Amino acid sequence: MNFRLAGINVKEEIVKKITLLLFLFLATISNQRLAMAWLFQSAEEKLKVAEVMYEERDRPLRAQVLLGEARRIYEKEGDIVGIAHVNRAYAYFLKSKAVGRWSKMEFDDKTVNYSNRFQKAIEYLEKALEVYEEKGLYAYASNVHFNMAAIYSDKLNNNEMACRHLEESLQNHIKYNESNLNEGKVELLRGYDSFQEIIDNAKIEANCQVS
């Protein structure tokens, strides 16, 4: 039986309120589970989720939180390579389109601002590169050099440095192929048969002297 009060179906209103309360309860539980899942993620998992956040989800704030959490885990463990991975990821975060759309974003690194984020990205990549080359992680080093070249060419208008890093990227790729001691993988862009071809095309775009 339905009851009406001042033109309102009382039973329907009760059902709506119960439905709303149930929805809010389930949403709260879901958010708590999600928060707990983030809390217990490994540093490596946090880096992967952070990349999704700034590359695909347009959520740079959440990405920065995850990157900071990953850094603290690696620092606590004394994992030098792990910290290098965070530095590399933070550099890619700084140059991402997601960050580019947040002109008033506050960065964990207080020396970073919207205007200097590309130069700061280079500095973070340099930190990562030092570890990768010292540890013989040539695939990662090749990737970092290639991205540094892209930043120098596209964002900092320094083709001389871009060309230098493109060559270093190629040399590290060659070292990677000659070594069986490395983790990591150099993936070729679609439409290219070799990494040499990728570098040669990039050098042409950066007005490098191609021998």
Side-chain angles (χ1 to χ4, degrees), residues 87-194:
N87 286 333
R88 182 179 66 137
Y90 198 72
Y92 296 166
F93 159 78
L94 290 177
K95 74 181 185 68
S96 68
K97 292 181 179 179
V99 170
R101 286 188 281 267
W102 286 62
S103 60
K104 296 183 179 180
M105 181 170 177
E106 294 185 4
F107 299 96
D108 288 345
D109 181 348
K110 299 308 178 183
T111 68
V112 178
N113 57 52
Y114 188 80
S115 299
N116 72 1
R117 69 189 188 279
F118 295 117
Q119 184 58 53
K120 288 296 182 178
I122 290 291
E123 292 178 14
Y124 274 96
L125 288 175
E126 287 174 342
K127 292 178 182 179
L129 186 60
E130 183 178 355
V131 175
Y132 292 152
E133 293 186 336
E134 178 184 342
K135 300 295 183 181
L137 298 173
Y138 302 120
Y140 288 114
S142 178
N143 174 273
V144 168
H145 277 297
F146 191 85
N147 277 275
M148 291 177 74
I151 295 173
Y152 273 119
S153 178
D154 299 337
K155 305 299 182 182
L156 300 177
N157 298 315
N158 190 334
N159 282 349
E160 181 180 353
M161 290 297 294
C163 296
R164 183 182 304 177
H165 283 287
L166 286 171
E167 182 60 30
E168 288 296 328
S169 179
L170 177 60
Q171 294 306 314
N172 274 276
H173 178 77
I174 293 172
K175 291 178 182 178
Y176 170 78
N177 286 336
E178 294 174 345
S179 174
N180 296 316
L181 302 177
N182 300 285
E183 296 179 1
K185 181 180 180 181
V186 176
E187 297 182 357
L188 297 179
L189 299 174
R190 290 184 178 181
Y192 292 94
D193 296 325
S194 68

Side-chain angles (χ1 to χ4, degrees), residues 22 29 50 53 62 85 93 138 162 175 209:
L22 181 60
I29 294 298
M53 290 295 172
R62 183 58 197 166
H85 290 337
F93 159 78
Y138 302 120
K175 291 178 182 178
Q209 293 183 353

Side-chain angles (χ1 to χ4, degrees), residues 45-56 59 62-67 89 93:
E45 289 169 335
K46 289 179 185 293
L47 287 182
K48 290 179 180 178
V49 176
E51 182 179 3
V52 172
M53 290 295 172
Y54 66 74
E55 288 290 353
E56 301 176 15
R59 295 185 61 187
R62 183 58 197 166
Q64 183 167 233
V65 170
L66 290 168
L67 291 171
F93 159 78

